[in-house]
mmCIF file of all heavy atoms in Angstrom:
data_model
loop_
_atom_site.group_PDB
_atom_site.id
_atom_site.type_symbol
_atom_site.label_atom_id
_atom_site.label_comp_id
_atom_site.label_asym_id
_atom_site.label_seq_id
_atom_site.Cartn_x
_atom_site.Cartn_y
_atom_site.Cartn_z
ATOM 1 N N MET A 10 0.793 -1.263 0.027
ATOM 2 C CA MET A 10 0.032 0.049 -0.062
ATOM 3 C C MET A 10 0.863 1.228 0.011
ATOM 4 O O MET A 10 1.961 1.319 0.599
ATOM 5 C CB MET A 10 -0.897 -0.005 1.268
ATOM 6 C CG MET A 10 -2.155 -0.703 1.079
ATOM 7 S SD MET A 10 -3.342 0.099 -0.004
ATOM 8 C CE MET A 10 -3.910 1.350 1.030
ATOM 9 N N ALA A 11 0.326 2.183 -0.677
ATOM 10 C CA ALA A 11 1.093 3.525 -0.706
ATOM 11 C C ALA A 11 0.019 4.580 -1.038
ATOM 12 O O ALA A 11 -1.014 4.299 -1.637
ATOM 13 C CB ALA A 11 2.072 3.491 -1.713
ATOM 14 N N TYR A 12 0.250 5.821 -0.709
ATOM 15 C CA TYR A 12 -0.542 6.861 -1.073
ATOM 16 C C TYR A 12 -0.171 7.334 -2.568
ATOM 17 O O TYR A 12 0.984 7.255 -2.887
ATOM 18 C CB TYR A 12 -0.447 8.007 -0.077
ATOM 19 C CG TYR A 12 -1.393 7.936 1.162
ATOM 20 C CD1 TYR A 12 -1.257 6.863 1.942
ATOM 21 C CD2 TYR A 12 -2.300 8.864 1.453
ATOM 22 C CE1 TYR A 12 -2.049 6.677 3.137
ATOM 23 C CE2 TYR A 12 -3.229 8.610 2.550
ATOM 24 C CZ TYR A 12 -3.035 7.555 3.318
ATOM 25 O OH TYR A 12 -3.902 7.488 4.475
ATOM 26 N N VAL A 13 -1.164 7.889 -3.175
ATOM 27 C CA VAL A 13 -0.883 8.376 -4.551
ATOM 28 C C VAL A 13 -1.420 9.756 -4.688
ATOM 29 O O VAL A 13 -2.466 10.166 -4.090
ATOM 30 C CB VAL A 13 -1.779 7.333 -5.466
ATOM 31 C CG1 VAL A 13 -1.796 7.923 -6.952
ATOM 32 C CG2 VAL A 13 -1.093 6.009 -5.434
ATOM 33 N N ILE A 14 -0.683 10.598 -5.502
ATOM 34 C CA ILE A 14 -1.127 11.953 -5.817
ATOM 35 C C ILE A 14 -1.807 12.023 -7.181
ATOM 36 O O ILE A 14 -1.212 11.609 -8.132
ATOM 37 C CB ILE A 14 0.144 12.914 -5.827
ATOM 38 C CG1 ILE A 14 0.808 12.738 -4.509
ATOM 39 C CG2 ILE A 14 -0.210 14.276 -6.011
ATOM 40 C CD1 ILE A 14 2.173 13.436 -4.240
ATOM 41 N N SER A 15 -3.080 12.547 -7.239
ATOM 42 C CA SER A 15 -3.835 12.636 -8.417
ATOM 43 C C SER A 15 -3.515 13.964 -9.230
ATOM 44 O O SER A 15 -2.626 14.757 -8.792
ATOM 45 C CB SER A 15 -5.296 12.529 -7.993
ATOM 46 O OG SER A 15 -5.723 13.876 -7.541
ATOM 47 N N GLU A 16 -4.293 13.979 -10.249
ATOM 48 C CA GLU A 16 -4.136 15.103 -11.173
ATOM 49 C C GLU A 16 -4.689 16.485 -10.644
ATOM 50 O O GLU A 16 -4.482 17.522 -11.145
ATOM 51 C CB GLU A 16 -4.954 14.887 -12.488
ATOM 52 C CG GLU A 16 -4.275 13.890 -13.310
ATOM 53 C CD GLU A 16 -5.112 13.532 -14.591
ATOM 54 O OE1 GLU A 16 -6.073 14.175 -14.744
ATOM 55 O OE2 GLU A 16 -4.530 12.721 -15.399
ATOM 56 N N ASP A 17 -5.258 16.456 -9.401
ATOM 57 C CA ASP A 17 -5.702 17.610 -8.664
ATOM 58 C C ASP A 17 -4.564 18.262 -8.032
ATOM 59 O O ASP A 17 -4.676 19.390 -7.528
ATOM 60 C CB ASP A 17 -6.639 17.267 -7.582
ATOM 61 C CG ASP A 17 -8.093 16.831 -8.108
ATOM 62 O OD1 ASP A 17 -8.358 17.156 -9.256
ATOM 63 O OD2 ASP A 17 -8.697 15.988 -7.441
ATOM 64 N N CYS A 18 -3.325 17.718 -8.076
ATOM 65 C CA CYS A 18 -2.080 18.416 -7.516
ATOM 66 C C CYS A 18 -1.837 19.726 -8.239
ATOM 67 O O CYS A 18 -1.731 19.646 -9.481
ATOM 68 C CB CYS A 18 -0.928 17.390 -7.575
ATOM 69 S SG CYS A 18 0.659 18.097 -7.183
ATOM 70 N N ILE A 19 -1.561 20.797 -7.448
ATOM 71 C CA ILE A 19 -1.205 21.934 -8.002
ATOM 72 C C ILE A 19 0.275 22.346 -7.778
ATOM 73 O O ILE A 19 0.709 23.478 -7.967
ATOM 74 C CB ILE A 19 -2.037 23.104 -7.417
ATOM 75 C CG1 ILE A 19 -1.925 23.238 -5.900
ATOM 76 C CG2 ILE A 19 -3.438 23.004 -7.941
ATOM 77 C CD1 ILE A 19 -2.711 24.494 -5.383
ATOM 78 N N ALA A 20 0.981 21.337 -7.410
ATOM 79 C CA ALA A 20 2.478 21.439 -7.147
ATOM 80 C C ALA A 20 2.816 22.532 -6.196
ATOM 81 O O ALA A 20 3.820 23.349 -6.373
ATOM 82 C CB ALA A 20 3.178 21.578 -8.470
ATOM 83 N N CYS A 21 2.005 22.723 -5.164
ATOM 84 C CA CYS A 21 2.188 23.838 -4.139
ATOM 85 C C CYS A 21 3.445 23.461 -3.198
ATOM 86 O O CYS A 21 3.903 24.481 -2.601
ATOM 87 C CB CYS A 21 1.044 24.000 -3.378
ATOM 88 S SG CYS A 21 0.582 22.745 -2.170
ATOM 89 N N GLY A 22 3.801 22.299 -3.055
ATOM 90 C CA GLY A 22 4.892 21.986 -2.197
ATOM 91 C C GLY A 22 4.604 21.768 -0.784
ATOM 92 O O GLY A 22 5.449 21.486 0.080
ATOM 93 N N SER A 23 3.250 21.870 -0.325
ATOM 94 C CA SER A 23 2.985 21.677 1.000
ATOM 95 C C SER A 23 3.415 20.275 1.649
ATOM 96 O O SER A 23 3.777 20.174 2.732
ATOM 97 C CB SER A 23 1.412 21.779 1.193
ATOM 98 O OG SER A 23 0.944 23.106 0.675
ATOM 99 N N CYS A 24 3.157 19.262 0.803
ATOM 100 C CA CYS A 24 3.477 17.917 1.425
ATOM 101 C C CYS A 24 4.912 17.576 1.477
ATOM 102 O O CYS A 24 5.251 16.664 2.313
ATOM 103 C CB CYS A 24 2.654 16.843 0.435
ATOM 104 S SG CYS A 24 3.261 16.905 -1.299
ATOM 105 N N ILE A 25 5.689 18.141 0.673
ATOM 106 C CA ILE A 25 7.020 17.515 0.361
ATOM 107 C C ILE A 25 7.828 17.545 1.682
ATOM 108 O O ILE A 25 8.578 16.485 2.071
ATOM 109 C CB ILE A 25 7.758 18.069 -0.741
ATOM 110 C CG1 ILE A 25 8.951 17.252 -1.259
ATOM 111 C CG2 ILE A 25 8.163 19.534 -0.521
ATOM 112 C CD1 ILE A 25 9.317 17.507 -2.704
ATOM 113 N N ASP A 26 7.813 18.476 2.502
ATOM 114 C CA ASP A 26 8.585 18.557 3.676
ATOM 115 C C ASP A 26 7.886 17.898 4.794
ATOM 116 O O ASP A 26 8.531 17.664 5.918
ATOM 117 C CB ASP A 26 8.771 20.178 4.129
ATOM 118 C CG ASP A 26 9.797 20.708 3.151
ATOM 119 O OD1 ASP A 26 10.543 20.092 2.537
ATOM 120 O OD2 ASP A 26 9.677 22.023 3.101
ATOM 121 N N GLU A 27 6.642 17.427 4.657
ATOM 122 C CA GLU A 27 5.900 16.738 5.757
ATOM 123 C C GLU A 27 6.182 15.114 5.815
ATOM 124 O O GLU A 27 6.047 14.597 6.868
ATOM 125 C CB GLU A 27 4.411 17.053 5.567
ATOM 126 C CG GLU A 27 4.031 18.429 5.735
ATOM 127 C CD GLU A 27 4.337 19.166 7.045
ATOM 128 O OE1 GLU A 27 4.318 18.427 8.118
ATOM 129 O OE2 GLU A 27 4.686 20.352 7.005
ATOM 130 N N CYS A 28 6.622 14.723 4.727
ATOM 131 C CA CYS A 28 6.784 13.211 4.573
ATOM 132 C C CYS A 28 7.961 12.774 5.454
ATOM 133 O O CYS A 28 9.097 13.279 5.294
ATOM 134 C CB CYS A 28 7.022 12.768 3.119
ATOM 135 S SG CYS A 28 7.239 11.106 2.914
ATOM 136 N N PRO A 29 7.740 11.943 6.511
ATOM 137 C CA PRO A 29 8.736 11.538 7.365
ATOM 138 C C PRO A 29 9.826 10.709 6.672
ATOM 139 O O PRO A 29 10.871 10.406 7.246
ATOM 140 C CB PRO A 29 7.983 10.821 8.386
ATOM 141 C CG PRO A 29 6.850 10.331 7.920
ATOM 142 C CD PRO A 29 6.490 11.332 6.847
ATOM 143 N N VAL A 30 9.537 10.088 5.549
ATOM 144 C CA VAL A 30 10.578 9.222 4.877
ATOM 145 C C VAL A 30 10.953 9.773 3.513
ATOM 146 O O VAL A 30 11.623 9.134 2.710
ATOM 147 C CB VAL A 30 10.008 7.710 4.662
ATOM 148 C CG1 VAL A 30 9.669 7.112 6.099
ATOM 149 C CG2 VAL A 30 8.723 7.669 3.882
ATOM 150 N N SER A 31 10.649 10.990 3.222
ATOM 151 C CA SER A 31 11.128 11.633 2.003
ATOM 152 C C SER A 31 10.764 10.886 0.766
ATOM 153 O O SER A 31 11.544 10.790 -0.188
ATOM 154 C CB SER A 31 12.608 11.913 2.003
ATOM 155 O OG SER A 31 12.829 12.891 3.171
ATOM 156 N N ALA A 32 9.554 10.508 0.719
ATOM 157 C CA ALA A 32 9.003 9.680 -0.427
ATOM 158 C C ALA A 32 8.514 10.506 -1.463
ATOM 159 O O ALA A 32 8.156 9.925 -2.628
ATOM 160 C CB ALA A 32 8.011 8.599 0.108
ATOM 161 N N ILE A 33 8.324 11.805 -1.246
ATOM 162 C CA ILE A 33 7.650 12.655 -2.370
ATOM 163 C C ILE A 33 8.705 13.393 -3.122
ATOM 164 O O ILE A 33 9.582 13.986 -2.548
ATOM 165 C CB ILE A 33 6.708 13.611 -1.535
ATOM 166 C CG1 ILE A 33 5.704 12.787 -0.635
ATOM 167 C CG2 ILE A 33 5.980 14.470 -2.611
ATOM 168 C CD1 ILE A 33 4.691 13.694 0.090
ATOM 169 N N SER A 34 8.526 13.377 -4.471
ATOM 170 C CA SER A 34 9.341 14.117 -5.324
ATOM 171 C C SER A 34 8.597 15.132 -6.119
ATOM 172 O O SER A 34 7.416 14.993 -6.387
ATOM 173 C CB SER A 34 10.127 13.149 -6.296
ATOM 174 O OG SER A 34 9.307 12.267 -6.970
ATOM 175 N N GLU A 35 9.277 16.251 -6.497
ATOM 176 C CA GLU A 35 8.779 17.354 -7.191
ATOM 177 C C GLU A 35 8.471 17.036 -8.638
ATOM 178 O O GLU A 35 9.031 16.188 -9.171
ATOM 179 C CB GLU A 35 9.579 18.636 -7.071
ATOM 180 C CG GLU A 35 9.795 19.199 -5.723
ATOM 181 C CD GLU A 35 10.696 20.361 -5.731
ATOM 182 O OE1 GLU A 35 10.358 21.291 -6.430
ATOM 183 O OE2 GLU A 35 11.682 20.213 -4.945
ATOM 184 N N GLY A 36 7.640 17.855 -9.241
ATOM 185 C CA GLY A 36 7.315 17.687 -10.724
ATOM 186 C C GLY A 36 6.043 18.553 -11.010
ATOM 187 O O GLY A 36 5.627 19.271 -10.187
ATOM 188 N N ASP A 37 5.625 18.442 -12.197
ATOM 189 C CA ASP A 37 4.440 19.182 -12.643
ATOM 190 C C ASP A 37 3.254 18.762 -11.701
ATOM 191 O O ASP A 37 2.450 19.564 -11.216
ATOM 192 C CB ASP A 37 4.125 18.908 -14.069
ATOM 193 C CG ASP A 37 5.012 19.630 -15.006
ATOM 194 O OD1 ASP A 37 5.827 20.530 -14.648
ATOM 195 O OD2 ASP A 37 5.171 19.244 -16.178
ATOM 196 N N ILE A 38 3.258 17.412 -11.443
ATOM 197 C CA ILE A 38 2.407 16.961 -10.436
ATOM 198 C C ILE A 38 3.428 16.042 -9.576
ATOM 199 O O ILE A 38 4.213 15.311 -10.092
ATOM 200 C CB ILE A 38 1.414 15.910 -10.992
ATOM 201 C CG1 ILE A 38 0.300 16.734 -11.677
ATOM 202 C CG2 ILE A 38 0.688 15.057 -9.898
ATOM 203 C CD1 ILE A 38 -0.754 15.892 -12.484
ATOM 204 N N TYR A 39 3.285 16.329 -8.309
ATOM 205 C CA TYR A 39 4.279 15.529 -7.275
ATOM 206 C C TYR A 39 3.973 14.124 -7.255
ATOM 207 O O TYR A 39 2.832 13.678 -7.773
ATOM 208 C CB TYR A 39 4.106 16.212 -5.910
ATOM 209 C CG TYR A 39 4.847 17.462 -5.787
ATOM 210 C CD1 TYR A 39 4.788 18.439 -6.761
ATOM 211 C CD2 TYR A 39 5.471 17.794 -4.611
ATOM 212 C CE1 TYR A 39 5.574 19.682 -6.568
ATOM 213 C CE2 TYR A 39 6.114 19.013 -4.330
ATOM 214 C CZ TYR A 39 6.093 19.949 -5.313
ATOM 215 O OH TYR A 39 6.768 21.082 -5.089
ATOM 216 N N LYS A 40 4.953 13.374 -6.969
ATOM 217 C CA LYS A 40 4.901 11.916 -6.999
ATOM 218 C C LYS A 40 5.402 11.342 -5.732
ATOM 219 O O LYS A 40 6.302 11.749 -5.085
ATOM 220 C CB LYS A 40 5.759 11.484 -8.231
ATOM 221 C CG LYS A 40 5.577 10.051 -8.645
ATOM 222 C CD LYS A 40 6.163 9.867 -10.103
ATOM 223 C CE LYS A 40 5.878 8.397 -10.482
ATOM 224 N NZ LYS A 40 6.434 7.304 -9.795
ATOM 225 N N ILE A 41 4.709 10.153 -5.340
ATOM 226 C CA ILE A 41 5.044 9.544 -4.227
ATOM 227 C C ILE A 41 5.651 8.145 -4.650
ATOM 228 O O ILE A 41 5.117 7.415 -5.461
ATOM 229 C CB ILE A 41 3.940 9.155 -3.244
ATOM 230 C CG1 ILE A 41 3.384 10.483 -2.720
ATOM 231 C CG2 ILE A 41 4.273 8.249 -2.106
ATOM 232 C CD1 ILE A 41 1.969 10.192 -2.011
ATOM 233 N N ASP A 42 6.944 7.800 -4.066
ATOM 234 C CA ASP A 42 7.597 6.673 -4.287
ATOM 235 C C ASP A 42 6.917 5.454 -3.545
ATOM 236 O O ASP A 42 7.066 5.452 -2.419
ATOM 237 C CB ASP A 42 8.974 6.638 -3.976
ATOM 238 C CG ASP A 42 9.942 5.387 -4.270
ATOM 239 O OD1 ASP A 42 9.242 4.314 -4.450
ATOM 240 O OD2 ASP A 42 11.221 5.557 -4.397
ATOM 241 N N PRO A 43 6.288 4.496 -4.230
ATOM 242 C CA PRO A 43 5.399 3.460 -3.595
ATOM 243 C C PRO A 43 6.392 2.571 -2.664
ATOM 244 O O PRO A 43 5.820 1.913 -1.831
ATOM 245 C CB PRO A 43 4.781 2.737 -4.659
ATOM 246 C CG PRO A 43 5.453 3.007 -5.860
ATOM 247 C CD PRO A 43 6.127 4.368 -5.696
ATOM 248 N N GLU A 44 7.596 2.489 -3.067
ATOM 249 C CA GLU A 44 8.619 1.572 -2.362
ATOM 250 C C GLU A 44 8.879 2.274 -0.992
ATOM 251 O O GLU A 44 9.370 1.576 -0.062
ATOM 252 C CB GLU A 44 9.872 1.422 -3.236
ATOM 253 C CG GLU A 44 9.685 0.870 -4.639
ATOM 254 C CD GLU A 44 9.309 -0.707 -4.460
ATOM 255 O OE1 GLU A 44 10.155 -1.257 -3.712
ATOM 256 O OE2 GLU A 44 8.387 -1.146 -5.046
ATOM 257 N N MET A 45 8.907 3.604 -1.018
ATOM 258 C CA MET A 45 9.183 4.287 0.262
ATOM 259 C C MET A 45 8.128 4.664 1.107
ATOM 260 O O MET A 45 8.219 4.740 2.369
ATOM 261 C CB MET A 45 10.010 5.535 -0.146
ATOM 262 C CG MET A 45 11.366 5.157 -0.894
ATOM 263 S SD MET A 45 12.075 6.842 -1.389
ATOM 264 C CE MET A 45 12.671 7.473 0.210
ATOM 265 N N CYS A 46 6.936 4.834 0.596
ATOM 266 C CA CYS A 46 5.823 5.236 1.410
ATOM 267 C C CYS A 46 5.393 4.279 2.433
ATOM 268 O O CYS A 46 5.328 3.010 2.147
ATOM 269 C CB CYS A 46 4.582 5.512 0.434
ATOM 270 S SG CYS A 46 3.148 6.008 1.277
ATOM 271 N N THR A 47 5.111 4.744 3.582
ATOM 272 C CA THR A 47 4.798 3.800 4.820
ATOM 273 C C THR A 47 3.345 4.005 5.065
ATOM 274 O O THR A 47 2.856 3.549 6.094
ATOM 275 C CB THR A 47 5.571 4.221 6.064
ATOM 276 O OG1 THR A 47 5.353 5.487 6.439
ATOM 277 C CG2 THR A 47 7.111 4.037 5.881
ATOM 278 N N ASP A 48 2.471 4.669 4.250
ATOM 279 C CA ASP A 48 1.104 4.756 4.359
ATOM 280 C C ASP A 48 0.657 5.564 5.525
ATOM 281 O O ASP A 48 -0.303 5.167 6.120
ATOM 282 C CB ASP A 48 0.635 3.344 4.386
ATOM 283 C CG ASP A 48 -0.692 3.031 3.668
ATOM 284 O OD1 ASP A 48 -0.920 4.020 2.835
ATOM 285 O OD2 ASP A 48 -1.372 2.165 3.966
ATOM 286 N N CYS A 49 1.394 6.530 5.985
ATOM 287 C CA CYS A 49 1.090 7.193 7.293
ATOM 288 C C CYS A 49 0.025 8.220 7.031
ATOM 289 O O CYS A 49 -0.592 8.519 8.056
ATOM 290 C CB CYS A 49 2.331 7.898 7.822
ATOM 291 S SG CYS A 49 2.867 9.333 6.868
ATOM 292 N N GLY A 50 -0.164 8.677 5.824
ATOM 293 C CA GLY A 50 -1.350 9.714 5.595
ATOM 294 C C GLY A 50 -0.966 11.184 5.970
ATOM 295 O O GLY A 50 -1.925 12.046 5.807
ATOM 296 N N THR A 51 0.188 11.463 6.441
ATOM 297 C CA THR A 51 0.535 12.849 6.744
ATOM 298 C C THR A 51 0.393 13.758 5.589
ATOM 299 O O THR A 51 -0.128 14.810 5.746
ATOM 300 C CB THR A 51 1.995 12.906 7.238
ATOM 301 O OG1 THR A 51 2.127 12.056 8.374
ATOM 302 C CG2 THR A 51 2.355 14.234 7.736
ATOM 303 N N CYS A 52 0.858 13.246 4.455
ATOM 304 C CA CYS A 52 0.723 14.253 3.254
ATOM 305 C C CYS A 52 -0.628 14.534 2.882
ATOM 306 O O CYS A 52 -0.952 15.595 2.520
ATOM 307 C CB CYS A 52 1.502 13.594 2.099
ATOM 308 S SG CYS A 52 0.888 11.971 1.724
ATOM 309 N N ALA A 53 -1.560 13.568 2.938
ATOM 310 C CA ALA A 53 -2.892 13.759 2.592
ATOM 311 C C ALA A 53 -3.635 14.774 3.479
ATOM 312 O O ALA A 53 -4.395 15.539 3.003
ATOM 313 C CB ALA A 53 -3.754 12.406 2.709
ATOM 314 N N ASP A 54 -3.214 14.831 4.812
ATOM 315 C CA ASP A 54 -3.717 15.719 5.690
ATOM 316 C C ASP A 54 -3.389 17.233 5.435
ATOM 317 O O ASP A 54 -4.199 18.113 5.706
ATOM 318 C CB ASP A 54 -3.308 15.472 7.076
ATOM 319 C CG ASP A 54 -3.915 14.225 7.729
ATOM 320 O OD1 ASP A 54 -5.003 13.721 7.114
ATOM 321 O OD2 ASP A 54 -3.283 13.654 8.692
ATOM 322 N N VAL A 55 -2.196 17.477 4.793
ATOM 323 C CA VAL A 55 -1.792 18.856 4.535
ATOM 324 C C VAL A 55 -2.089 19.275 3.089
ATOM 325 O O VAL A 55 -2.010 20.524 2.857
ATOM 326 C CB VAL A 55 -0.223 19.021 4.816
ATOM 327 C CG1 VAL A 55 -0.013 18.693 6.214
ATOM 328 C CG2 VAL A 55 0.516 18.229 3.889
ATOM 329 N N CYS A 56 -2.564 18.494 2.297
ATOM 330 C CA CYS A 56 -2.769 18.786 0.872
ATOM 331 C C CYS A 56 -4.018 19.671 0.745
ATOM 332 O O CYS A 56 -5.114 19.359 1.141
ATOM 333 C CB CYS A 56 -2.965 17.595 -0.023
ATOM 334 S SG CYS A 56 -3.388 17.922 -1.765
ATOM 335 N N PRO A 57 -3.869 20.899 0.254
ATOM 336 C CA PRO A 57 -4.871 21.860 0.119
ATOM 337 C C PRO A 57 -5.941 21.614 -0.954
ATOM 338 O O PRO A 57 -7.136 22.095 -0.865
ATOM 339 C CB PRO A 57 -4.278 23.177 -0.228
ATOM 340 C CG PRO A 57 -3.069 22.773 -0.950
ATOM 341 C CD PRO A 57 -2.608 21.551 -0.228
ATOM 342 N N THR A 58 -5.653 20.766 -1.835
ATOM 343 C CA THR A 58 -6.644 20.317 -2.949
ATOM 344 C C THR A 58 -7.068 18.934 -2.753
ATOM 345 O O THR A 58 -7.853 18.384 -3.639
ATOM 346 C CB THR A 58 -5.990 20.472 -4.322
ATOM 347 O OG1 THR A 58 -4.916 19.572 -4.565
ATOM 348 C CG2 THR A 58 -5.508 21.841 -4.572
ATOM 349 N N GLU A 59 -6.857 18.321 -1.620
ATOM 350 C CA GLU A 59 -7.115 16.852 -1.308
ATOM 351 C C GLU A 59 -6.774 15.862 -2.513
ATOM 352 O O GLU A 59 -7.623 15.212 -2.911
ATOM 353 C CB GLU A 59 -8.669 16.936 -0.933
ATOM 354 C CG GLU A 59 -8.992 17.677 0.236
ATOM 355 C CD GLU A 59 -10.473 17.532 0.748
ATOM 356 O OE1 GLU A 59 -11.181 16.877 0.078
ATOM 357 O OE2 GLU A 59 -10.817 18.293 1.778
ATOM 358 N N ALA A 60 -5.642 16.259 -3.023
ATOM 359 C CA ALA A 60 -5.172 15.323 -4.207
ATOM 360 C C ALA A 60 -4.542 14.035 -3.843
ATOM 361 O O ALA A 60 -4.229 13.246 -4.692
ATOM 362 C CB ALA A 60 -4.204 16.260 -5.020
ATOM 363 N N ILE A 61 -4.376 13.790 -2.557
ATOM 364 C CA ILE A 61 -3.598 12.573 -2.154
ATOM 365 C C ILE A 61 -4.526 11.644 -1.435
ATOM 366 O O ILE A 61 -5.255 12.048 -0.481
ATOM 367 C CB ILE A 61 -2.367 13.025 -1.149
ATOM 368 C CG1 ILE A 61 -1.522 14.145 -1.786
ATOM 369 C CG2 ILE A 61 -1.649 11.842 -0.915
ATOM 370 C CD1 ILE A 61 -0.443 14.552 -1.016
ATOM 371 N N HIS A 62 -4.406 10.452 -1.896
ATOM 372 C CA HIS A 62 -5.314 9.349 -1.386
ATOM 373 C C HIS A 62 -4.545 8.064 -1.376
ATOM 374 O O HIS A 62 -3.681 7.788 -2.080
ATOM 375 C CB HIS A 62 -6.605 9.230 -2.383
ATOM 376 C CG HIS A 62 -7.394 10.520 -2.495
ATOM 377 N ND1 HIS A 62 -8.355 10.791 -1.560
ATOM 378 C CD2 HIS A 62 -7.456 11.422 -3.439
ATOM 379 C CE1 HIS A 62 -8.838 12.033 -1.859
ATOM 380 N NE2 HIS A 62 -8.391 12.334 -3.108
ATOM 381 N N PRO A 63 -5.084 7.143 -0.463
ATOM 382 C CA PRO A 63 -4.598 5.843 -0.467
ATOM 383 C C PRO A 63 -4.780 5.072 -1.680
ATOM 384 O O PRO A 63 -5.933 5.367 -2.402
ATOM 385 C CB PRO A 63 -5.321 4.997 0.686
ATOM 386 C CG PRO A 63 -5.975 6.118 1.447
ATOM 387 C CD PRO A 63 -6.178 7.422 0.469
ATOM 388 N N ALA A 64 -3.866 4.338 -2.248
ATOM 389 C CA ALA A 64 -4.043 3.709 -3.560
ATOM 390 C C ALA A 64 -4.972 2.557 -3.373
ATOM 391 O O ALA A 64 -5.316 1.943 -2.349
ATOM 392 C CB ALA A 64 -2.757 3.107 -4.011
HETATM 393 FE FE1 SF4 B 119 5.114 10.120 3.057
HETATM 394 FE FE2 SF4 B 119 3.257 9.340 4.734
HETATM 395 FE FE3 SF4 B 119 2.587 10.556 2.329
HETATM 396 FE FE4 SF4 B 119 3.569 7.995 2.367
HETATM 397 S S1 SF4 B 119 1.654 8.646 3.311
HETATM 398 S S2 SF4 B 119 4.185 9.673 0.971
HETATM 399 S S3 SF4 B 119 5.066 8.099 3.990
HETATM 400 S S4 SF4 B 119 3.711 11.483 4.139
#
């Protein structure tokens, strides 16, 4: 299991510093490395567009 960032991402950067395992990388739409994600949900809580959901 891993969280996934959808097309609703506006690349605001709110989530990237919140991830405890640095699984999130920048881009036009930010991306979560499924190998690194521990499914903690912290990023989903801070996303202003609710773009992050469990896969
Ligand atoms: Fe990082 Fe937690 Fe979001 Fe996974 S769910 S990308 S571990 S903040």
Side-chain angles (χ1 to χ4, degrees):
M10 275 288 287
Y12 275 61
V13 172
I14 302 178
S15 78
E16 290 178 0
D17 292 334
C18 174
I19 56 172
C21 69
S23 299
C24 59
I25 198 161
D26 290 335
E27 301 296 328
C28 178
V30 295
S31 300
I33 304 174
S34 52
E35 292 179 58
D37 291 342
I38 291 177
Y39 280 38
K40 196 167 184 294
I41 296 171
D42 183 338
E44 301 284 313
M45 296 175 69
C46 178
T47 60
D48 220 20
C49 73
T51 304
C52 54
D54 289 343
V55 300
C56 179
T58 65
E59 299 183 1
I61 308 178
H62 300 280

